[in-house]
Amino acid sequence: FFFKQKTAYEIVDCDWSSDVCSSDLIIKKSKLSTSVVVMNNNFVTPSALIVDWGGVLTNGLDHMLTGWTENENIDLQTYYDVFNKWLGPEAEKELRINPIHALERGEMTVPDFEKELARALKNLGNIQVQEDGLLERMFEFFEHAPDMNGLVHRARKMGFKTALLSNSWGNSYPRDGWDELFDEVIISGEVGMRKPDAEIYLHTLNLLKVKPNEAVFVDDLIHNVHGAKEVGIVGILHTEYEKTKKELELIFGVNFD
């Protein structure tokens, strides 16, 4: 949720094996930032839009992390180093709970995670932080993204099913207005599942009562888009509003203004 891989993901003009697609529809991003939709005979016009929260319905994670780490006097590279250690190959070999996965599934409490994060920052970068309320202070740097929220609202008013699918870090979401935005809300810590595991996408589809190729998923993290694609959902990697809007309009065949 709050770790963004620093390796850039690019799709070149000739790359038709894009991971931002389902087997039925390919979105090809050119160097000129244009999008071409290619459909085969199995393409079905989608009836459902599923979106992430942090980085899609809010400001970007990079912007949020920069503000939070500066406020806490945390070296941003050290923060990334902590998460690389927790998420990398070495962590996979260790017979211990991955703090990130456990928090997102609701298996670890926020205070316990804050202790783990504070300890890791101390060990890797000799950085001292006040662990109590660490994540709450982080969330203060999230900002509402009115453009994407407005698009989702318009999509629902047009008759498309909508859902929020978010990996939580135990935070209290700003849920005011969600009844008008979403048919379904799926928060990882509340259902004991997390992106990019297949089960949470299938759970979301079941709640919406749609097939995988009838849904489009928007997320700002490529591994979550990969996960959606693996179960047959059309996936869009969100980087900025205008690009995402254009791609959604091409896929749904409507104007979202």
Side-chain angles (χ1 to χ4, degrees):
F1 185 24
F2 299 113
F3 171 72
K4 196 163 188 175
Q5 293 180 354
K6 299 190 73 177
T7 302
Y9 181 80
E10 297 179 353
I11 304 172
V12 298
D13 286 343
C14 60
D15 182 9
W16 291 98
S17 60
S18 166
D19 288 305
V20 192
C21 63
S22 76
S23 59
D24 298 329
L25 181 148
I26 296 176
I27 296 173
K28 181 184 174 186
K29 295 184 178 179
S30 76
K31 296 174 184 177
L32 298 177
S33 299
T34 58
S35 298
V36 177
V37 176
V38 177
M39 296 168 284
N40 65 21
N41 293 333
N42 295 323
F43 176 74
V44 175
T45 301
S47 59
L49 174 61
I50 307 167
V51 296
D52 178 37
W53 184 71
V56 176
L57 298 183
T58 73
N59 57 329
L61 297 188
D62 286 340
H63 177 79
M64 180 277 293
L65 285 173
T66 299
W68 172 69
T69 52
E70 288 178 354
N71 186 66
E72 297 284 335
N73 293 316
I74 296 172
D75 175 64
L76 184 57
Q77 184 57 53
T78 301
Y79 173 86
Y80 282 127
D81 289 344
V82 168
F83 279 70
N84 278 319
K85 181 177 176 62
W86 281 352
L87 294 172
E90 295 299 321
E92 294 176 4
K93 299 175 184 177
E94 295 179 13
L95 297 178
R96 68 175 182 83
I97 294 176
N98 182 309
I100 302 167
H101 296 180
L103 180 65
E104 290 178 341
R105 291 194 182 101
E107 299 166 350
M108 176 178 283
T109 67
V110 168
D112 286 342
F113 181 83
E114 291 173 332
K115 290 177 182 178
E116 288 273 355
L117 180 55
R119 184 182 302 115
L121 291 169
K122 171 65 176 176
N123 291 340
L124 280 181
N126 197 30
I127 298 171
Q128 295 275 9
V129 295
Q130 176 59 45
E131 61 188 49
D132 293 339
L134 188 58
L135 294 190
E136 182 179 352
R137 296 193 299 276
M138 175 191 286
F139 301 142
E140 292 175 357
F141 288 88
F142 272 120
E143 298 174 5
H144 180 78
D147 46 12
M148 277 301 299
N149 281 268
L151 187 151
V152 175
H153 185 254
R154 292 191 295 274
R156 193 177 187 212
K157 288 184 68 175
M158 294 170 68
F160 297 108
K161 296 180 179 180
T162 58
L164 177 73
L165 176 54
S166 176
N167 280 355
S168 76
W169 274 25
N171 56 314
S172 297
Y173 288 80
R175 301 187 186 224
D176 291 345
W178 279 14
D179 288 342
E180 297 179 359
L181 274 181
F182 306 113
D183 293 287
E184 301 291 344
V185 172
I186 300 91
I187 307 297
S188 65
E190 296 175 1
V191 297
M193 299 176 275
R194 63 181 292 276
K195 298 176 294 185
D197 297 338
E199 58 183 355
I200 198 165
Y201 299 103
L202 296 175
H203 176 69
T204 303
L205 293 172
N206 183 58
L207 291 175
L208 289 171
K209 296 180 173 58
V210 297
K211 298 176 181 178
N213 65 342
E214 296 173 334
V216 178
F217 174 63
V218 181
D219 200 294
D220 64 317
L221 298 181
I222 189 60
H223 53 275
N224 292 336
V225 176
H226 274 284
K229 179 248 183 179
E230 288 300 312
V231 301
I233 299 172
V234 177
I236 292 178
L237 180 64
H238 177 72
T239 56
E240 60 181 64
Y241 171 69
E242 288 298 334
K243 289 182 180 179
T244 297
K245 176 177 175 289
K246 181 184 294 185
E247 292 173 353
L248 287 171
E249 289 177 338
L250 287 168
I251 296 169
F252 282 92
V254 298
N255 190 317
F256 283 117
D257 286 331

